[in-house]
Amino acid sequence: MKMQHVLPRLGLMLGLLLGSLASAEEGSAEPLTHRITAYFHSGLDLFLSDFRTMGGVGGGFGVRDTVNDRFILQADARYLLGLGNAVELRAGAGIQRQGTWTPAALVMVSGMMGGGMRFMTSERSTPVVAPALTVGLQLAPLRFTHSGTQFSLFELGVGVGSEWPGRGVSMHLTLLEAGTTF
């Protein structure tokens, strides 16, 4: 799938999410409730293309806004070691189940920059220096929320981006995420 087809679909998905938030506020007598969570996470992130490989193992921190215990807006940063030193910045929106067991699915936009392995090919004779940008899906099947504390194990994500020419694929595995609400 070409990047020119992915971005309009991502915009449509985010528009539907924001539209459902607005209709939830208009259609109910209850106001929107926001729960801000600060969290830390550790895991593995990789970006692979024909022209470069970057990522590794690391950790970071983030902030999440959960609206009406259902809709999620979040942003986080991670420092990675292994295939060069890299920094990854991500933002996402999604939905989660209400209750104690709160599995979630999010659409994520990611940018990874820094060192890595770069490859010269006949299609590209200069190294790629721009950030690796991807759009993807992240699933958090083992996420739990109780009394202002959130805990998640083994979040999986995959994304796709463009290297102009060519494509790149990102893979994400969060081993542990823990946060607290304030």
Side-chain angles (χ1 to χ4, degrees), residues 1 6 8 12 30 37 42-43 54 57 74 124 140 143 147-148 152:
M1 182 176 285
V6 171
L12 177 64
E30 296 179 29
T37 304
S42 64
M54 59 193 309
V57 177
Q74 72 179 39
R124 187 174 201 114
R143 179 181 286 177
S147 298
S152 183

Side-chain angles (χ1 to χ4, degrees), residues 15-169:
L16 290 173
L17 177 65
L18 294 175
S20 65
L21 285 173
S23 66
E25 184 177 19
E26 294 169 2
S28 68
E30 296 179 29
L32 291 178
T33 59
H34 295 270
R35 187 178 67 222
I36 305 297
T37 304
Y39 61 92
F40 75 89
H41 54 263
S42 64
L44 169 74
D45 279 290
L46 292 173
F47 178 81
L48 308 167
S49 74
D50 290 340
F51 309 112
R52 63 180 161 177
T53 299
M54 59 193 309
V57 177
F61 60 92
V63 177
R64 176 180 299 120
D65 181 12
T66 307
V67 181
N68 288 349
D69 290 327
R70 187 100 176 128
F71 302 102
I72 302 168
L73 301 168
Q74 72 179 39
D76 58 42
R78 183 179 296 206
Y79 182 74
L80 304 165
L81 298 168
L83 298 171
N85 295 331
V87 173
E88 182 180 33
L89 304 173
R90 302 182 321 153
I95 191 166
Q96 74 175 10
R97 181 182 180 275
Q98 295 174 321
T100 302
W101 177 51
T102 54
L106 296 103
V107 174
M108 301 294 291
V109 176
S110 172
M112 190 180 299
M113 59 205 99
M117 295 185 293
R118 289 171 169 72
F119 311 107
M120 304 301 165
T121 66
S122 60
E123 294 175 355
R124 187 174 201 114
S125 61
T126 59
V128 179
V129 293
L133 302 174
T134 59
V135 175
L137 181 66
Q138 179 174 322
L139 301 175
L142 298 174
R143 179 181 286 177
F144 301 92
T145 304
H146 181 69
S147 298
T149 303
Q150 196 167 61
F151 186 77
S152 183
L153 295 170
F154 303 115
E155 294 182 6
L156 303 169
V158 65
V160 64
S162 181
E163 288 281 74
W164 294 287
R167 274 180 274 228
V169 176

